[in-house]
Amino acid sequence: RRKVVDALAVMLPAHDIAYKELDELAGENLIEKGEIKIYYQRVSGILRRYVENRFGLRAPEQTTEEFLAGLDMDRALPDSYRPLLRTFLRRCDLVKFAEFKPGKEEIRQTFESCRDFIKGTEEKEGGANAV
């Protein structure tokens, strides 16, 4: 799957790939199946890959803290989006690693915050940044 995403990254803008992955995730009905942890693993992976593809950062094997520290050193991501990304990834980690059980509204907000982050930072045609 990763090779397919890498190949698409050459042909499609990072936001198009991320939106496609979010649509696929929504279609899998993981929440309805009770697979909350898997859902959060997937949604956080989508956002991480988007950040990697959009801003040219490589961090496939890093922890959230290592990933965020790399962002702080790189400075490619606009400062205004750093708190949103930090909060998003840490909340996902609570579900993935601390057995936190979010409610349906929090799950919906997680999905929407991922989509909003992508929308706010997507690259516009001609290479001009949206931010």
Side-chain angles (χ1 to χ4, degrees):
R1 178 164 166 76
R2 179 70 185 163
K3 288 181 182 180
V4 171
V5 171
D6 286 343
L8 285 175
V10 174
M11 302 181 303
L12 295 174
H15 61 269
D16 286 344
I17 296 167
Y19 290 143
K20 181 178 177 359
E21 290 181 331
L22 284 173
D23 289 343
E24 289 172 3
L25 177 61
E28 290 179 22
N29 299 317
L30 291 173
I31 302 305
E32 292 80 3
K33 295 175 185 174
E35 300 289 350
I36 308 299
K37 192 174 195 176
I38 293 171
Y39 178 86
Y40 271 78
Q41 289 169 341
R42 294 277 313 283
V43 77
S44 67
I46 290 168
L47 192 58
R48 281 177 69 130
R49 281 189 300 281
Y50 167 74
V51 170
E52 291 172 6
N53 291 335
R54 168 67 176 87
F55 297 102
L57 305 168
R58 287 286 168 215
E61 302 297 322
Q62 292 181 343
T63 66
T64 295
E65 293 308 314
E66 291 168 337
F67 182 71
L68 293 170
L71 284 175
D72 287 342
M73 292 188 335
D74 186 275
R75 308 308 295 172
L77 180 68
D79 289 340
S80 60
Y81 287 92
R82 290 172 189 275
L84 178 62
L85 180 61
R86 187 175 305 278
T87 299
F88 176 87
L89 292 174
R90 286 183 175 154
R91 286 184 174 241
C92 287
D93 282 356
L94 285 175
V95 176
K96 294 175 353 186
F97 304 116
E99 304 300 325
F100 175 71
K101 305 278 190 232
K104 287 188 180 197
E105 181 60 22
E106 188 168 352
I107 294 168
R108 186 194 64 73
Q109 287 175 351
T110 297
F111 187 87
E112 291 304 318
S113 68
C114 181
R115 188 178 292 280
D116 290 347
F117 180 91
I118 294 164
K119 183 174 177 133
T121 60
E122 70 184 39
E123 190 170 29
K124 300 297 181 194
E125 285 190 43
N129 292 346
V131 291

